Amino acid sequence: MLSQNEALPESGRLNGRSGAAKTKFNRGKLDDLLGFQLRLAYIAISRHFAVALSQINLTQKQTAVLWLIGSNAGVSQIKLAIELGMDRASMMSIIDRLEERGLIVRARSPLDGRRQELSLTAKGRTTLAQCKTAIARHERWIAARFTKGQLSELKRSCSAQKITCTAQKIPDIADFA
């Protein structure tokens, strides 16, 4: 993984020697593409998130699932999968890991015996509180890169243009026409 101050020279090899000249990598017209810029921002934010939560040892998806269960006690795995745009098998894997760590419990729904309701354990609530503290620091790190006006506009734009990909609706090539 590259640090912010390292660059890949044209040979593609990392120049790790301190004080050595660094070669700027030519991306051609990629820098003009919004999708490319969003991807680079996503990578930087994801890496920072991973470091921010490294002591808690949860992934972004696990953290999101824990947060949503905390906010929606009794929610089903299927509802979580739909909300996060995940398939059922991947959601089951996440739920299994959170349950193995003692962060959540599954219980049969008293209304529908086929449905399992998910809730946080005491350990899950403590872990979620730790996650929220780490995420608040992470969010401040992101926000520090923008002026208040830019941040407000970015949030407004993202909210207005939400691109959703749920388990029921996977984008089709026609969606991009």
Side-chain angles (χ1 to χ4, degrees):
M1 181 162 69
L2 296 177
S3 74
Q4 285 184 321
N5 298 324
E6 295 175 312
L8 283 178
E10 289 184 41
S11 68
R13 303 175 97 198
L14 181 62
N15 186 348
R17 296 185 305 263
S18 62
K22 302 216 179 359
T23 305
K24 182 174 166 94
F25 192 78
N26 182 354
R27 295 185 188 149
K29 297 281 187 184
L30 280 176
D31 284 334
D32 296 338
L33 302 175
L34 179 58
F36 183 73
Q37 293 299 326
L38 289 171
R39 176 73 176 150
L40 292 178
Y42 168 78
I43 291 168
I45 290 168
S46 293
R47 286 179 178 167
H48 189 272
F49 184 94
V51 170
L53 269 79
S54 63
Q55 297 299 313
I56 302 168
N57 197 25
L58 288 175
T59 66
Q60 285 179 313
K61 288 182 182 180
Q62 290 168 343
T63 303
V65 169
L66 196 66
W67 193 307
L68 290 174
I69 293 170
S71 297
N72 301 279
V75 69
S76 71
Q77 288 178 201
I78 293 171
K79 179 65 175 164
L80 288 172
I82 291 168
E83 280 299 311
L84 294 174
M86 296 174 63
D87 62 82
R88 291 178 185 182
S90 297
M91 181 56 67
M92 184 182 298
S93 177
I94 289 172
I95 296 299
D96 287 346
R97 278 182 252 143
L98 293 175
E99 187 176 41
E100 287 167 9
R101 288 186 57 185
L103 302 176
I104 65 167
V105 292
R106 298 181 222 216
R108 292 250 179 247
S109 168
L111 302 174
D112 182 353
R114 299 168 295 171
R115 184 175 178 266
Q116 292 200 0
E117 296 179 345
L118 305 170
S119 299
L120 297 181
T121 62
K123 182 179 177 183
R125 286 187 292 279
T126 300
T127 301
L128 179 57
Q130 293 169 340
C131 288
K132 288 180 177 184
T133 299
I135 290 169
R137 283 193 304 269
H138 169 69
E139 288 289 312
R140 285 191 298 274
W141 176 83
I142 296 169
R145 277 128 186 85
F146 300 94
T147 66
K148 285 186 179 190
Q150 289 171 328
L151 193 58
S152 177
E153 180 60 24
L154 180 61
K155 287 179 181 179
R156 189 199 64 71
S157 294
C158 288
S159 292
Q161 301 300 322
K162 281 186 181 166
I163 300 171
T164 59
C165 179
T166 65
Q168 279 88 26
K169 174 96 172 72
I170 305 299
D172 184 274
I173 193 67
D175 294 338
F176 299 103

